[in-house]
Amino acid sequence: MENKLPKRSEVDVELTWKLEDIFASESEWEKALSEAKSLADELAGYAGKVAESAETLYKVLEIYEKDSLIMHKVYGYAFKSRDVDTTSTSAQTLYSKSMSAGVEISEKLAFLEPEIIAVDDATLEKFYGEKPELDKYKIYITEVRRGREHSLSPELEKLLAGTNELADLPYEGFATLGNADLKFPEITNEKGEKIQITNGRFVPLEESKDRRVRKEVFEKYYETFGSFKNTWATLYAGQVKQLMFYARARKYSSTLEAAVDGNNVSPEVYKNLVEAVNDNLDKMHRYVRLRKKLLELDELHMYDIYVPIVKDYDAKYTIDEAKELVLKAVEPLGTNYVNLIKKAFAERWIDVVENEGKRNGAYSSGVYGVHPFVLLNFNGTLDNVFTLAHEMGHAMHSYFSNEAQNFLDSRYRIFVAEVASTTNEVLLMEYMLKNAKDNKERAYLLNHYMDSFKGTVFRQTMFAEFEKTSNEMAESGEPLTHENLTELYLNLNKKYYGEAMISDDLIGYEWMRIPHFYYNFYVYQYATGFSAAVAIANRVLKEGETAVSDYMKFLSSGCTKDPVSLLRIAGVDMATKEPINSALQVFERVIEEMEELTK
């Protein structure tokens, strides 16, 4: 854990992504930023005139698309430059400039959508007849007008656009307190070494085979969070209040309705997930009992949830081995899919290793007209291999949508964003299980699969239920204090983990450290996406070419339909509980096999 990281300049260039594919230099980036601002000024001249004629509407949307695409590249280059080296002053400057420009441009263009919404249906149909080229923007226009009952006057839209930075303050406060100001104590690890707890070290330390270490880390970590309990509650209450403000301003009945409607999803999909997972909690409880048995513990505590239950087996992989596994795993998706991933590996779409100042975690970010970029912090674990598969799924989704759709129609919704990534993971798991050398390796893989269900379906749904309930509390006038937030979280933890787990009181503070609670009802999509992916991967493996063809249509569809309709193309109906119930039956089968292997 204390190995010195290389500086960015010391990393082998072949292990870094090639941002020159976006802009050859910072001066090119500056030119693009300047052009985006000029285009925004040009667009601003059309305020009040957007629907003067079919020709004007087409011209406005043409400029808007061009401006949006340039800013997409400008922002993409800036945040990727910053993310690989947060110590770089020049990268921070690029990022700050792009963010400021984004706010400035959004304020200038605040008139656009209200004017599109204000056009009556008959006039719009006449425009389509007069200017057939407008069909290119029909999906975008329809989506804008879908929200007409929630739109405001141009003046109020401009006012709301100017509050965007204020709305980010609760999260900014959360991130600053959690990442900069919060100081954790040291503990003595299993080797007798003093080591400071950090957010990044928490889970690795909780994987320690020494239970004393796990318990001490757990207690000191959450006690540190708890020492700022009033501040965390104030920040989270601020987050919920700003969501309530926007929901009321846009005439939604609740923050949940406002959040899911942004992705054109019904609140019923959210509620179905919570209900379906609650109906299947017996499977989670069975998993917890199995964990307790395999760890040979009289009492299972929350500090025992990360320690591996398969003893004396720990596989390590090089990045080349990980790449080969991913390529083998996705072969059922066809030669074109495999060759595209090979191209990504060969042409430096991926930033592979950790360096000083590089942000943690992993992500994929598509850049329209260029190619997707993938950020990793690869250090050879099984998790890292699955992360590579996961992020390449995102990358392929972006690639196929970008190739098939115009820029405005390529931007698929967050609701479907986790499907392609997790489909790759399920295919990788099935491939590795099929090729496991012995029962020890098979058990190791099954453990990873069970943990994926635990972490992605059950844990994320628990988060989703916390978010839903806490928002409902605030909407009914109940103040969000640290006491009632902690009580809510602790009770949910007890319900989800069951009686075989001792839900230590300190786990009630866990809500204080979850950044996703500031992402506006985001986490449920991990669970729905995972469930859809299990269904798609199993269909691909069973049905072959027909299923692959449907799946490729889904990957290429961008945002041309609402997300639930898009998933129906791939053979999954998320308007029902069936995909969640079906995925959790797979979870049960994995538990049963693990029970058999470990008798």
Side-chain angles (χ1 to χ4, degrees), residues 172-229:
E172 294 295 336
F174 165 87
T176 302
L177 177 57
N179 297 324
D181 293 342
L182 207 64
K183 301 301 178 196
F184 297 97
E186 288 184 339
I187 60 106
T188 304
N189 69 12
E190 56 267 36
K191 296 176 184 173
E193 302 163 334
K194 289 283 186 187
I195 187 164
Q196 186 177 9
I197 303 168
T198 66
N199 284 316
R201 288 172 178 166
F202 174 68
V203 171
L205 285 167
E206 285 291 275
E207 292 171 345
S208 170
K209 291 172 184 173
D210 186 331
R211 202 165 187 229
R212 176 200 59 80
V213 171
R214 301 200 303 269
K215 184 174 187 290
E216 189 177 350
V217 168
F218 177 88
E219 290 173 350
K220 289 187 174 178
Y221 185 71
Y222 284 114
E223 282 166 0
T224 304
F225 272 94
S227 63
F228 291 90
K229 56 194 175 189

Side-chain angles (χ1 to χ4, degrees), residues 226-246:
S227 63
F228 291 90
K229 56 194 175 189
N230 292 298
T231 306
W232 296 119
T234 301
L235 289 168
Y236 184 66
Q239 166 68 9
V240 174
K241 283 175 182 174
Q242 63 96 0
L243 295 181
M244 288 167 61
F245 167 75
Y246 286 113

